[in-house]
Amino acid sequence: MEDLKGIIHKNYSKIQHRIHEACLRSQRSTASVRFVAVTKYAHTEWVKALVELGCTQFAESRSQQLDERALQFADHLHWHFIGPLQRNKVRRTITHTSLIHSIDSLKLLSTIGRIAAESGLQPHVLIEVNLSREQNKKGFAPEELLSNWNAICEVPHVRVEGLMTMASHSADPELARPVFRELSQLRDQLQTVSPPSIQLTELSMGMSGDFEIAIEEGSTLIRIGSALYTGLD
Ligand SMILES: *Cc1c(COP(=O)(O)O)cnc(C)c1O
C-alpha cells in the first residue's frame, strides 16, 4: 500500500508534467504559470505533504480555514482566497492573504479598500467574472464589469492585478476554451481603458479538469485541488 506522501507526490509530479507539456505546446515558460494548490478539502497532513514537495502557494475558500492554516504553517507560504468573502470576514482575511481571487461586487471591493486603509495594507485582488452565465455562479457579468470598471479602478488601497473565472464543469475540457479565451480578451480590453497604475497581468483560470486548456489560453494562475488528492480519501 502506498503511503499518503507517495500518492500526493505521484499526483503532483503528473500535474507538473502536464503543465510542462501545455507550456511547451503554447510556447510559454513554465515560470509564467503559477501553481496554486487548493486545500479547501485537504486534511492538514495532505497540506504538510504538499509543503514538503515544495509547494508554496495555497488556496482556501473559507476565511476561517485560511486564517487557521496561515497561522499554523510557516511564513514562507502564500495563501490565496478563492471563495465568497463575507464583508465581516474582510479584516481577518486581508491580513493573511497574498491574493484574493474572488471579488464579485464593487461593494466588496470598496469594503476591502476601506478596511485596508485602516490596517495600513494594500491587498492584491482579482475580479471574478461569470462568463459561463450560470445563475448560480458568482462574479461580474462582462457587461456589468465594463460599466463598473472606472469605479473599480478608483477604489483606493487595493491593487487590482487581473481577472478570475471558473468554467462550467464538463467532461470535455475543450468546452472551457471559449470561456478562457473570452476572459483573456476581456482583460486586454479592460487594460486599454485602465489608468497606467493598473496592470492586469494575472489571469486566474484552470482547475483540475481544464488547466491545460487554460494554460494554452494564457492563464497565469491555475488552481488545482482534486487532481492532487486522487487515490486518497
Ligand atoms: C475548489 C476550487 C478549485 C479547485 O477545483 P478542483 O476541480 O478540485 O481542482 C479551484 N477554484 C475554485 C474557485 C474552487 O472553489
Side-chain angles (χ1 to χ4, degrees):
M1 204 184 81
E2 269 187 294
D3 66 338
L4 166 72
K5 281 185 198 166
I7 294 172
I8 292 189
H9 189 171
K10 201 167 80 191
N11 292 339
Y12 179 72
S13 304
K14 274 191 199 158
I15 297 166
Q16 293 304 322
H17 179 73
R18 289 168 60 191
I19 293 170
H20 183 74
E21 295 286 308
C23 285
L24 281 180
R25 279 197 299 281
S26 43
Q27 295 176 309
R28 299 185 56 192
S29 87
T30 45
S32 69
V33 181
R34 246 192 295 173
F35 177 86
V36 181
V38 177
T39 47
K40 63 185 178 196
Y41 299 133
H43 300 295
T44 306
E45 296 310 312
W46 305 4
V47 184
K48 284 186 183 154
L50 288 165
V51 173
E52 283 177 27
L53 286 171
C55 288
T56 55
Q57 314 268 335
F58 292 89
E60 291 287 344
S61 59
R62 286 190 303 123
S63 20
Q64 177 146 0
Q65 186 154 305
L66 185 143
D67 269 19
E68 287 168 7
R69 287 189 164 166
L71 292 170
Q72 177 183 5
F73 285 90
D75 291 344
H76 71 283
L77 303 183
H78 295 276
W79 292 91
H80 298 243
F81 190 78
I82 58 172
L85 182 54
Q86 291 165 340
R87 283 198 287 280
N88 62 357
K89 301 281 171 57
V90 165
R91 194 177 300 276
R92 283 164 44 185
T93 304
I94 61 175
T95 55
H96 298 302
T97 313
S98 295
L99 184 62
I100 300 173
H101 296 227
S102 44
I103 304 299
D104 57 6
S105 73
L106 183 57
K107 205 167 166 195
L108 174 61
L109 189 65
S110 304
T111 303
I112 293 174
R114 178 173 54 75
I115 294 174
E118 290 168 17
S119 314
L121 297 169
Q122 192 192 32
H124 297 195
V125 304
L126 306 179
I127 308 295
E128 182 169 356
V129 190
N130 179 356
L131 291 167
S132 51
R133 290 173 179 81
E134 285 170 51
Q135 285 297 325
N136 59 348
K137 285 250 164 77
K138 310 267 285 179
F140 287 85
E143 317 72 66
E144 188 193 1
L145 184 55
L146 289 167
S147 61
N148 278 284
W149 191 250
N150 285 341
I152 288 173
C153 291
E154 281 166 9
V155 176
H157 301 287
V158 294
R159 197 165 114 180
V160 179
E161 297 193 318
L163 306 178
M164 181 273 236
T165 200
M166 282 171 85
S168 308
H169 184 73
S170 119
D172 180 5
E174 270 300 328
L175 295 176
R177 192 182 295 280
V179 170
F180 295 152
R181 191 163 293 178
E182 199 180 343
L183 193 75
S184 169
Q185 288 166 349
L186 184 60
R187 183 272 305 272
D188 295 347
Q189 183 184 357
L190 291 170
Q191 186 64 66
T192 64
V193 294
S194 299
S197 60
I198 293 189
Q199 292 298 320
L200 305 173
T201 52
E202 304 292 345
L203 288 175
S204 170
M205 56 191 199
M207 319 199 316
S208 293
D210 53 24
F211 67 87
E212 288 147 303
I213 306 284
I215 290 171
E216 290 171 17
E217 296 300 327
S219 175
T220 63
L221 287 155
I222 54 171
R223 312 177 307 267
I224 308 291
S226 50
L228 283 169
Y229 316 117
T230 307
L232 300 170
D233 28 53

